[in-house]
Structure formats: C-alpha cells, structure tokens
Amino acid sequence: MYPIMKNQEIAEDVHEIWVKAPHIARNAQPGQFVIIRTNETGERVPLTISRVVGSTIRIIFMKVGKTTHALAAIPETGYIEDIVGPLGKPSEIAYYGTVAIVGGGVGIASTPYLAKALKAAENRVVGILGARTAGLLILENEMADICDELHIGTDDGSKGYHGFAVDLLRTLINTEPVHAVWIIGQTIMMKVTSEATREMGIKTFVSLNPIMVDGTGMCGACRCTVDGKTKFACVDGPDFDAHTVDFDTLMQRQQMYHELELESFEAWKAAEGEKP
Amino acid sequence: MRRRAAEDRIHDFLEVDLGMTEEDAVSEANRCIGCKKPLCIHGCPVQIDIPAFIARVAEGDFIGAAEKIKEQNMLPAICGRVCPQETQCESTCILSKKGEAIPIGQLERLVADIERKRGPKLPDIGKPTGKNVAVVGSGPAGLTASAELAKEGHHVTLYESLHMPGGVLTYGIPAFRLPKDIVNFEILQVLSLGVELRTNHFIGRSLHVHELLRYDAVVLATGAGLPYFMDIEGENLNGVFSANEFLTRINLMHADEFPTYDTPVLKGKNVVVVGGGNVAMDAARVARRLGGEVTLVYRRREEDLPARLAEVHHAQEEGISFVFCAAPIRILGEKSLTGIECIRMRMDILDDSGRPNPIPIEGSLFTIEADVVIGAVGQGPNPVLLREIEGLTLGKSGNVVTLETGETSLPHVFAAGDAATGAATVILAMGTGKRAAQTVNQRLKGGSG
C-alpha cells in the first residue's frame, strides 16, 4: 500500500498525484515509468514518472477510462495498492548541443523532468508545448523555468500559436541547428510530429505507450515494431528512434481492448452512481 | 486418479484432480516394500526421504508423513500437484518394473493437504548469523532458496517484481491444476520463517546492480519468463498472445472475472494454440474454459509431445482438438485476425533428444480459422538483470552459467532455477534453489564468504 500525498486537478480532467514510493524515487530517471494497481481488483497500468521529490513521485494523467477515473477519485489520505518501478530504460541524457522537447497534451507530463536533466547536461533546451485548447495546457510555468526558450501552441488558437506543435518544431529546425528532439504525446501526434525531423536526419526520440501487463519483459503485450524488429517497449524502451517506429501497428494494438475498456468504465460509472 | 468430469470442469477454474482418499492412501502406502537402497529418493530433485514418509502414511500418520517431507521440501502441496512424478520418483520405484509404481505424488499431495488444514508446525530456525542474503525472484527456486537460508539463520530479503509472490506458480500455472489458495498458503509458510518479501521491486531498476551486490550473497532466481515468439507474419495482429501474457491475464490478473476485475482478455470463439509443452496445454485448457473451441497445433507427432501425459489426456477429455505434424507459417487478418496458415510436416531422422526432426512438406498449406492465436513455443531467461551484472558469464540462451553448486562466475553471486537451467520444471528449479542455498550457507558459515 502506497500513500497518495497529494491529488489535484491541474486542468480539465487532468490530475496530478504524488505517491510516496521510496523504492522508486531513489533510482528513478527521466524517461522511466511506473506501473500502478489502484486496488485488489485493479489492472496494471503504466504511467510516466513526471517528477521526483524526496521519496515521492509525481504522476500526471488524464481521466479516460475506469482506472484513471478511480485513481483521480482517491483522496489525499488514501493509497494505491501497488506501484512498481522505475521501469524502462532512462532517456539518453547527454550533451547534444541544442535539443527540442515537444510535449503534446497530457504527454507534457514528463517534459520538465527530461528538460531538467538535459539542461544539467549543458544542452540549450527549447520547449514546445501543444494542447487542444488553453485550458488543457499543463506545466507551462515549470517548463518556462527550466527551458532556455519555450513555445506554446494550441489547436484552437486560444493561447500562443494557432496550430499544431509540429508547425512550431518545423519553424524551429528551419531557424537554427537542432541536434536532438524528443516528442512525447499521443501516438498519432508523435507519428505526425516526428515526420518534421526525418528529412534533416535529426536524432528524434519518441516515448511509446502501448498496453502493458507486467512491464518487466515477461509477456510481450507491449511489443512494437521498430526498425522492422519486434521490441518490448517495457524493457527495450519506452524511448525509441522515432524514424524507425511502426506507429500504425502501435495504434492498432492500443485499440485492442477498446470495447472492453468502455464496458469496464460503464460498469464503474453505474456502481459509482449507486453510492450514497 | 479421481477427477472431475470434463463437461463440468470446462466451465470453471476449480481443481480437476480430486486427489486420493485416506483409505486408498493407506492401502497404496502398504504396497511399498521399503527397498534397502531406495531408488525413488534419487529420482527426487530435492531428495525427500520418500520411504520414510510412505511408512508413516501406511500407519495412518499423515501429519508425521507431511513433516517428514517438509524436512526437505517446504512446498509439498504444490509439488504433489505439479511435479512430473512419472518421470522422477515414480519412474525409479522398483514396483514400476512389474506393475504400478507407488503413487508418490498423490500421497504427498494428500498428506500436505491434511497437514495444511490442521495448521502446520514450523521448522526450527537456526540462530541469527548476521548475514544478509538477497534472493531475486520468488518463484519455486527463489522460495526454496529463501526457506533453506532462513532456516539456517540468515536474513533473507526476497525480491519480486510483480505485486504477488510465487513466480510461475502464481502467474503461469492455472488454478484448475494448482489452486491459488494452496500456493499462497505454502508461500506464507516460507515467509513465516522470517523471510522478508519485497514485492514491486524490479531488480536492476528499483535496486541497481551495485546496490544488490552489497549483500553478503545474492541468489539469482529470476526464472525463464521471456516469451519466445513464432517469428512469423501477422504476429503483432490484435488477438495474438504469448502464452505468458494470456496466462498472466487470467492467473494473476483474473481476466476471467472481468469486469469485476479490471483486466480484460480477448475470449476467442476459435482459438489456436501453437506448441506442445505443459504451457501450451495450460493455455489451451484456459481458452477452453473461457468458452472457445480450441485447436492445438504441434509440429511433431503425438508421442513427441513434451507435455505431461496426464495433461494431454485432460486436454483431450476437455474437447481440445490436436493437429499434429503441422507448423504455423503466417497469421492471417487485417485489423484483427481471421486465421492461421499452417504447413504439414514430415518426420525426418531422430535428433539428439530422440525426437524426429520435422521437415515442411511442400504444397501442403492449410488454414485454421481463428480469432485468437496463442504462441507457447518456449521461454528464455529474463534478460534485464542478468545482462547488467558485469562479469556474470551467460550461456547461449542467456542463462547464467553455474556449477552444480549454484556458483557463478562472480564470487558472491549464485543462480538457481530456470535462470540457470533454462525453462524446466518446478521441482528442478526447487532442486537447484536448494543446492545454491546450501552452497551459500557453507560459504557464509565457513567465514570465507
């Protein structure tokens, strides 16, 4: 049982929770993730480590299905049943020169942790944050504090540039030399955005988020096709070279349980409705 | 053997084998001739004093019999169920030469069950030695090593990456073969020796290698959980599982009870399982219990199946169809899968294992309709931790190279179970776990550790 130290809504349907997990906090590095199980009947869900302070770790997620709704509903005095980690390989932190970190939607969650490490490695760090609308933009101040330069865009133009993050990235790489790029967001966003850097051959990482079960390389649920080979995102990733990832297969696999996930969520809502 | 009728048992996950009655046990035990040089003990990887426990059964002293077994084996109710006795103790029983061997496994199971219901007595624990041992992995090898070391008075920290201990006993073997309350009970017995269990710790990540090596000794018992895939077209289609994933979703995550439990699984109407080992049988029989029509495809002949004979019979009784001498070529489908294309195999000369070498027959392609395909084509050692330990010599399949004593290429590091041997049985893992623990104990008590 791992206590929830803090739980708050930081944008519409987006929550940040702080979990006391010393066994994870002590060795966590940017790019790694945890798998949580909310309760005895819960599923195992992978979530990116967003920040570490002392023995607590921050997780940011959007309420989508049953587990994320249930997680958001846990009060600050509550706890989750299980949390394992840090899982996955850490991001390749090194000196590259100028690096761009592109975060989309709730994918922005892990960008400050990564930006801070890349900054500490003496890179010039340019942040690009994109959201559907201004109300869904998260961690802007945190990124502004870390990055040498920060660009904001929204799909509906309610804040910053009116358009997609990929446009801001294109502008950046056409203006100055960029030596490495991280793109973190929904799979379709990563697919589209990473096309911007392909032609110029800029080293580009994406952080994949397939369905997982154990997260330790024992089931292969998270298998992805990278450079024509099968890789397990849980132990070989989650960061991969964007230009070698088969995003279409990934998106298809992410949909495998779509109908069952809806069924589970409907059952949860019905049960919650019956509560006094 | 008494077992539930196939038409009843395919609707649930309750145990198939009903075990033996006390009367039958006593009469079977009385058939034991008490060989002067009992061969059955040599057939047991953990050297249970089989004639001594059988003699107690013959006198109706079931508790005494269980205690005798537990001098050598802390997991008797598990072993009584999943050990392949027919190729071990029972195969070396002298009575098997002329007739039926003593049903040693059934006797072990019965007395363990009786003792469990009564509330077992804990073994004596040695004086604390002040030595700290890390055991990585809480499957059969890790549990056995932990128990042996704790009994000697060492402080054991047992690390497990999943949220539940037990390894393959928990995530791999289905409840209808090994009920989970029995697994949990026997694990608790090991923990009650003072073993400190830390679940949710993925060693190599939660604890880095240099931190792990600070223990006075380390036993690597990380198992063979890396699933091999068939490496054919269509393998990443939705509906294709490794047996590990499929079984974990059911056994560990209770996907059969979805949506009460959150974890879903695709319940196929037509399920094809590829493989012929015990894991393939387990996957097929689980899929059957989820309501599927199940076909098992194996590339050799029926007599070559590596699975236990009893499991094959149980699968056949439960209505699983077998296609022998065939291998998958590709998995068909667009978004989700529709079938699996296979090719017939002819049997060539015998290989080193005494099994024929299967050769594809040209032009013999055929398709089996399927909406779920489960690959049970073997597992390798979990690579993540092993590869990160500098100086640890690994074999061709990624297993830790060990001496018979469990010693590795590093002085304080020992290995046991499937991590050392490659995928084998529960009892062989326990045997190597015990052996490694004995070496660790000698080393730590000898003061040269």
Side-chain angles (χ1 to χ4, degrees):
Chain A
M1 305 248 254
Y2 302 84
I4 302 287
M5 310 305 287
K6 196 174 170 190
N7 181 353
Q8 61 177 8
E9 192 172 38
I10 58 170
E12 197 190 338
D13 283 341
V14 178
H15 275 245
E16 99 167 37
I17 60 170
W18 287 83
V19 187
K20 187 159 188 161
H23 68 301
I24 297 170
R26 51 201 296 278
N27 281 329
Q29 294 170 69
Q32 292 186 299
F33 63 95
V34 295
I35 284 185
I36 61 126
R37 207 168 65 109
T38 52
N39 62 9
E40 275 296 320
T41 56
E43 60 185 333
R44 292 172 64 96
V45 177
L47 292 162
T48 305
I49 299 170
S50 169
R51 197 172 165 186
V52 177
V53 175
S55 62
T56 60
I57 65 165
R58 181 174 72 182
I59 296 164
I60 295 175
F61 58 93
M62 181 173 264
K63 288 195 282 182
V64 181
K66 175 182 174 177
T67 298
T68 44
H69 275 85
L71 189 58
I74 298 173
E76 290 186 354
T77 50
Y79 56 85
I80 53 173
E81 192 70 29
D82 293 292
I83 183 165
V84 57
L87 300 172
K89 287 184 178 165
S91 295
E92 287 178 33
I93 304 299
Y95 174 75
Y96 296 92
T98 296
V99 299
I101 302 174
V102 187
V106 77
I108 294 170
S110 53
T111 58
Y113 195 21
L114 176 65
K116 210 169 168 180
L118 286 167
K119 186 72 197 155
E122 300 187 341
N123 293 285
R124 191 177 111 77
V125 179
V126 181
I128 297 174
L129 306 183
R132 212 163 65 229
T133 183
L136 285 173
L137 190 68
I138 58 170
L139 304 181
E140 183 188 346
N141 293 339
E142 234 175 277
M143 278 296 273
D145 284 348
I146 301 164
C147 297
D148 295 285
E149 199 178 303
L150 185 66
H151 302 277
I152 305 287
T154 49
D155 300 358
D156 65 358
S158 53
K159 180 157 193 179
Y161 169 77
H162 185 171
F164 297 122
V166 62
D167 304 333
L168 291 168
L169 178 63
R170 273 211 182 90
T171 308
L172 176 73
I173 61 177
N174 287 325
T175 315
E176 61 171 305
V178 173
H179 306 96
V181 175
W182 266 265
I183 303 167
I184 307 164
Q186 286 199 334
T187 307
I188 183 70
M189 173 271 188
M190 294 193 286
K191 178 185 172 176
V192 170
T193 311
S194 62
E195 281 308 311
T197 57
R198 187 189 292 273
E199 208 170 296
M200 290 170 81
I202 302 171
K203 193 171 181 65
T204 303
F205 297 97
V206 283
S207 178
L208 304 188
N209 52 352
I211 292 171
M212 293 186 186
V213 185
D214 63 275
T216 63
M218 284 173 48
C219 80
C222 68
R223 62 192 188 276
C224 301
T225 309
V226 179
D227 205 11
K229 296 185 197 82
T230 294
K231 296 280 180 190
F232 290 180
C234 69
V235 292
D236 300 321
D239 282 11
F240 289 104
D241 175 351
H243 301 139
T244 62
V245 170
D246 176 353
F247 287 104
D248 294 337
T249 305
L250 174 61
M251 284 188 276
Q252 191 170 305
R253 290 185 62 79
Q254 284 169 326
Q255 290 301 309
M256 189 169 337
Y257 296 101
H258 184 66
E259 281 168 31
L260 292 171
E261 283 161 358
L262 287 177
E263 183 187 333
S264 173
F265 186 35
E266 290 305 319
W268 180 81
K269 279 195 286 191
E272 285 296 294
E274 283 165 16
K275 280 189 186 169
Chain B
M1 187 216 288
R2 300 186 306 151
R3 59 180 182 270
R4 298 173 61 218
E7 58 269 30
D8 294 335
R9 64 189 199 232
I10 59 167
H11 302 295
D12 62 45
F13 285 78
L14 300 176
E15 195 167 14
V16 168
D17 184 345
L18 295 171
M20 191 170 244
T21 64
E22 294 183 16
E23 296 74 37
D24 287 349
V26 171
S27 92
E28 284 293 327
N30 274 300
R31 287 174 51 225
C32 177
I33 56 172
C35 304
K36 273 207 179 121
K37 288 182 181 166
L39 297 172
C40 50
I41 300 181
H42 299 298
C44 174
V46 295
Q47 281 92 44
I48 292 170
D49 189 346
I50 294 167
F53 106 74
I54 290 180
R56 293 182 184 194
V57 177
E59 291 162 10
D61 178 12
F62 301 123
I63 301 292
E67 284 168 355
K68 191 45 121 179
I69 295 171
K70 284 169 89 172
E71 288 174 9
Q72 302 299 331
N73 176 2
M74 284 292 287
L75 311 174
I78 293 171
C79 289
R81 288 172 167 82
V82 302
C83 273
Q85 291 94 6
E86 65 279 8
T87 61
Q88 298 178 5
C89 53
E90 293 175 15
S91 78
T92 51
C93 173
I94 199 80
L95 296 179
S96 71
K97 304 280 183 279
K98 286 186 178 164
E100 292 276 308
I102 303 286
I104 300 167
Q106 286 288 337
L107 296 180
E108 179 182 30
R109 171 191 157 137
L110 177 76
V111 299
D113 286 353
I114 291 172
E115 198 218 15
R116 184 178 65 257
K117 280 170 198 147
R118 197 208 58 161
K121 193 178 83 184
L122 278 181
D124 296 331
I125 297 171
K127 265 205 324 233
T129 60
K131 300 286 186 186
N132 293 303
V133 184
V135 176
V136 187
S138 67
L143 286 169
T144 304
S146 297
E148 295 299 320
L149 289 163
K151 279 196 270 187
E152 295 292 342
H154 306 300
H155 183 266
V156 178
T157 309
L158 175 59
Y159 289 106
E160 169 57 49
S161 64
L162 291 173
H163 56 267
M164 297 263 288
V168 74
L169 305 170
T170 298
Y171 75 75
I173 304 177
F176 55 80
R177 223 154 56 81
L178 183 60
K180 296 307 153 196
D181 54 338
I182 290 171
V183 175
N184 295 339
F185 183 88
E186 294 204 328
I187 291 172
L188 278 177
Q189 290 289 109
V190 172
L191 299 184
S192 65
L193 300 172
V195 172
E196 185 189 338
L197 171 69
R198 290 192 192 159
T199 53
N200 293 320
H201 279 67
F202 188 36
I203 304 306
R205 299 266 191 266
S206 308
L207 204 67
H208 287 165
V209 168
H210 66 92
E211 297 170 300
L212 179 69
L213 297 180
R214 282 189 209 136
Y215 281 88
D216 295 313
V218 174
V219 179
L220 301 170
T222 45
L226 173 74
Y228 294 150
F229 281 85
M230 294 171 273
D231 204 13
I232 56 175
E233 191 186 320
E235 196 148 27
N236 290 342
L237 283 169
N238 290 357
V240 184
F241 296 88
S242 72
N244 264 15
E245 180 188 351
F246 186 72
L247 291 171
T248 300
R249 283 181 181 273
I250 302 295
N251 299 331
L252 179 71
M253 304 309 297
H254 302 274
D256 53 308
E257 295 173 64
F258 178 88
T260 304
Y261 282 79
D262 297 343
T263 303
V265 71
L266 296 182
K267 296 181 182 181
K269 280 196 187 70
N270 294 294
V271 180
V272 171
V273 177
V274 180
N278 287 319
V279 176
M281 297 306 144
D282 285 345
R285 297 172 69 196
V286 166
R288 183 77 181 120
R289 281 161 175 76
L290 298 179
E293 292 297 325
V294 184
T295 306
L296 188 142
V297 176
Y298 178 56
R299 61 191 178 140
R300 295 193 178 93
R301 303 163 303 177
E302 180 166 7
E303 56 267 43
D304 302 314
L305 282 168
R308 288 181 78 183
L309 205 56
E311 302 306 326
V312 176
H313 287 161
H314 291 174
Q316 285 165 338
E317 284 174 354
E318 289 167 11
I320 287 153
S321 322
F322 285 69
V323 175
F324 295 109
C325 301
I329 292 295
R330 63 184 171 132
I331 298 167
L332 309 167
E334 289 283 326
K335 276 192 172 154
S336 49
L337 67 99
T338 55
I340 182 165
E341 191 171 44
C342 301
I343 190 163
R344 304 267 177 214
M345 310 292 267
R346 68 179 170 80
M347 298 300 109
D348 200 25
I349 48 166
L350 303 189
D351 66 13
D352 295 342
S353 68
R355 296 183 301 178
N357 205 11
I359 311 274
I361 302 171
E362 227 176 285
S364 68
L365 293 177
F366 65 102
T367 299
I368 308 173
E369 192 187 335
D371 49 0
V372 164
V373 168
I374 303 166
V377 294
Q379 298 109 246
N382 293 5
V384 176
L385 172 62
L386 305 183
R387 278 187 202 150
E388 285 190 7
I389 304 178
E390 214 176 301
L392 186 70
T393 305
L394 301 183
K396 242 193 236 158
S397 59
N399 58 303
V400 184
V401 175
T402 59
L403 301 175
E404 278 221 0
T405 53
E407 292 166 285
T408 70
S409 54
L410 291 172
H412 307 294
V413 180
F414 303 80
D418 287 0
T421 60
T425 60
V426 167
I427 189 66
L428 286 173
M430 290 173 60
T432 57
K434 188 170 174 173
R435 196 65 215 276
Q438 286 165 345
T439 312
V440 170
N441 182 49
Q442 282 162 12
R443 197 73 72 79
L444 294 180
K445 286 195 171 159
S448 62

